[in-house]
Amino acid sequence: MIRLSKCSIDETDYDSVAGALRSEYLGMGPLTIEFEQKLALFLNCDPENLCTVNTGTSALHAAIESLRLPKPSKIAVPNITYVASLQSILMSGHEPVIVDVDPKTLEVSSETISHLNGSGVVALIHVHHSGKIVNYENIADACKYAGITLINDAAQSFGSYYLKDNRIPNDNSIVCFSFDGIKNITCGEGGAVFSNNVDFINWIKDFRLLGVQNDTLARSRGDRSFQFNVKDTGFRYHLSSINAALGLSQLARFDFFAKKRLELVAEYEKQLVMLDKVQSLYHPQCTACPHIYVIWCENRNELRDFLNKNDVQTGIHYQPLSYLDVSNTNSDFPNSEKVFQHILTLPLHVDLDAVEVTKICELIRLFYSS
Ligand SMILES: Cc1ncc(COP(=O)(O)O)c(C=O)c1O
């Protein structure tokens, strides 16, 4: 079976994780802080502006809580996203406002954000679908104009670019990354939050350690606090040394990962371009490290079954949130409805090769010619 997605693990990862185990210091400690410093170097930011957490979902939850909004406040979220984006709003005790997406980008457009002006929405979870970042300046401007705080759900877009050469935005927004088992780099499970606003980050540093004040400082010395104060609710969201060790070795190979993902996507693009029943939703100019490869196709379910029977795993990113009972909405989402009927995610991961991409494209050609 050709897998839809997977991590890519080599000897450097085994060695790095074994080193953490050998140190017999497994909780959050100096390795976690080293990972944060290396992440900051990679993102070209000050380590003060960033902190790690144990999942992308906790990154989103922490980011929302760090805004200290009155509860419940209205927070917008695209209808086409992973349920984590919605749950982070619900677990913070806020009210989700689900909005439709642009069918070409699968993301919320700046026009949609402008229409939220006056709706009472105070924040938006903006999901960078597939690992791309489309029209970031327009999105950020529309949010600013509408008085909406921008939380970037960059779970899929670690290593992609915002503006020219910057990997992170130079504004007052928050960026949340995921390093789960299949992301652009993996910690096994892990996440990180970035913001230019150090107040948000400092608040999250305590929040991730049950609200224990300044425990991050103690743990960076391999120590922990025994006498402390707690002012706010906090969660057990810190990143362990084992997960950080894997993140360190994965980050060191990021350039290789990005190059391989770009080459595989270029191969798909070349081979699928002549098929009129298939359209690529890839945006090359907005993607430095593609996370998933999504096509818009006719007879999606039949094609999916055909590929599955021929040992090719595919996915659907995503079923609309509005289909879930928990979303509690009666609104219409015409774009999302259409998107959901036509999108198909083809295999993309670092251990895939061009021969397998050719096999997948030949099967798609065969399906439409029969
Ligand atoms: C768009 C999006 N947001 C949030 C998450 C949650 O990240 P994690 O799995 O690290 O909790 C994911 C993970 O798949 C995601 O794709």
Side-chain angles (χ1 to χ4, degrees):
M1 180 66 94
I2 299 180
R3 283 171 67 175
L4 172 63
S5 43
K6 67 185 276 299
C7 56
S8 178
I9 299 295
D10 77 358
E11 291 300 325
T12 63
D13 298 311
Y14 296 135
D15 288 348
S16 192
V17 173
L21 292 172
R22 270 191 217 103
S23 76
E24 298 190 337
Y25 190 108
L26 307 186
M28 176 176 161
L31 275 176
T32 313
I33 306 301
E34 186 186 337
F35 182 47
E36 291 182 346
Q37 281 163 352
K38 294 268 165 65
L39 277 175
L41 262 181
F42 174 83
L43 296 170
N44 196 17
C45 72
D46 197 303
E48 295 288 297
N49 294 106
L50 173 148
C51 79
T52 53
V53 285
N54 61 349
T55 64
T57 306
S58 50
L60 287 167
H61 181 204
I64 294 173
E65 294 280 16
S66 75
L67 301 178
R68 323 301 312 281
L69 298 167
K71 298 186 179 187
S73 292
K74 289 184 179 175
I75 301 185
V77 61
N79 201 15
I80 299 291
T81 184
Y82 189 44
V83 67
S85 322
L86 174 70
Q87 288 287 29
S88 63
I89 301 172
L90 294 172
M91 66 179 79
S92 314
H94 292 300
E95 183 189 333
V97 176
I98 297 177
V99 290
D100 213 353
V101 297
D102 178 329
K104 292 209 169 67
T105 63
L106 310 181
E107 296 176 2
V108 175
S109 68
S110 49
E111 290 75 28
T112 301
I113 298 170
S114 307
H115 290 138
L116 292 174
N117 204 351
S119 64
V121 167
V122 295
L124 163 73
I125 310 263
H126 184 59
V127 178
H128 305 166
H129 196 288
S130 319
K132 66 189 178 327
I133 296 146
V134 183
N135 295 332
Y136 182 76
E137 278 165 312
N138 294 351
I139 299 290
D141 283 351
C143 283
K144 205 167 164 192
Y145 182 74
I148 290 174
T149 300
L150 179 54
I151 298 173
N152 293 285
D153 181 341
Q156 302 187 0
S157 64
F158 181 75
S160 272
Y161 298 89
Y162 285 86
L163 309 166
K164 296 204 176 86
D165 296 335
N166 294 343
R167 285 184 165 127
I168 35 174
N170 184 23
D171 56 24
N172 206 31
S173 70
I174 307 182
V175 184
C176 299
F177 296 114
S178 161
F179 307 128
D180 74 20
I182 56 162
K183 290 298 190 291
N184 288 351
I185 63 165
T186 185
C187 289
E189 296 287 354
V193 187
F194 162 86
S195 178
N196 268 320
N197 186 332
V198 282
D199 291 343
F200 294 151
I201 300 300
N202 284 339
W203 191 87
I204 293 169
K205 281 182 178 166
D206 290 348
F207 181 75
R208 68 178 166 177
L209 286 161
L210 295 167
V212 174
Q213 290 196 312
N214 300 321
D215 206 14
T216 288
L217 201 61
R219 283 169 189 257
S220 67
R221 298 189 294 260
D223 201 355
R224 58 186 279 203
S225 312
F226 287 98
Q227 286 181 298
F228 50 79
N229 192 15
V230 174
K231 283 189 182 159
D232 288 303
T233 306
F235 285 73
R236 191 109 168 124
Y237 276 172
H238 59 269
L239 190 74
S240 81
S241 295
I242 302 175
N243 298 105
L246 182 55
L248 278 164
S249 51
Q250 289 268 306
L251 185 61
R253 287 197 292 145
F254 175 82
D255 288 347
F256 164 70
F257 289 165
K259 186 165 171 283
K260 186 75 193 282
R261 284 175 176 273
L262 285 166
E263 282 168 6
L264 292 167
V265 167
E267 196 60 41
Y268 271 127
E269 293 281 287
K270 193 173 82 191
Q271 297 200 34
L272 291 178
V273 72
M274 59 284 260
L275 291 179
D276 58 359
K277 297 269 172 44
V278 171
Q279 268 173 277
S280 160
L281 293 179
Y282 178 54
H283 295 247
Q285 67 286 7
C286 311
T287 321
C289 185
H291 176 57
I292 52 175
Y293 183 70
V294 182
I295 57 170
W296 180 285
C297 56
E298 301 297 318
N299 307 102
R300 195 273 316 276
N301 289 343
E302 291 81 356
L303 174 60
R304 190 159 188 240
D305 285 348
F306 178 74
L307 290 172
N308 190 39
K309 279 187 192 116
N310 285 283
D311 289 335
V312 176
Q313 216 176 40
T314 59
I316 300 170
H317 294 84
Y318 293 94
Q319 163 189 268
L321 293 179
S322 54
Y323 287 11
L324 308 173
D325 287 350
V326 73
S327 73
N328 205 16
T329 175
N330 299 318
S331 306
D332 286 333
F333 302 95
N335 291 348
S336 308
E337 291 282 340
K338 208 159 177 213
V339 160
F340 178 55
Q341 284 162 26
H342 290 280
I343 50 170
L344 183 69
T345 308
L346 300 179
L348 181 66
H349 54 80
V350 171
D351 294 339
L352 192 71
D353 61 33
V355 175
E356 288 170 314
V357 171
T358 301
K359 176 186 165 181
I360 296 163
C361 295
E362 274 170 4
L363 284 169
I364 297 174
R365 225 171 288 134
L366 183 66
F367 173 79
Y368 286 116
S369 63
S370 56

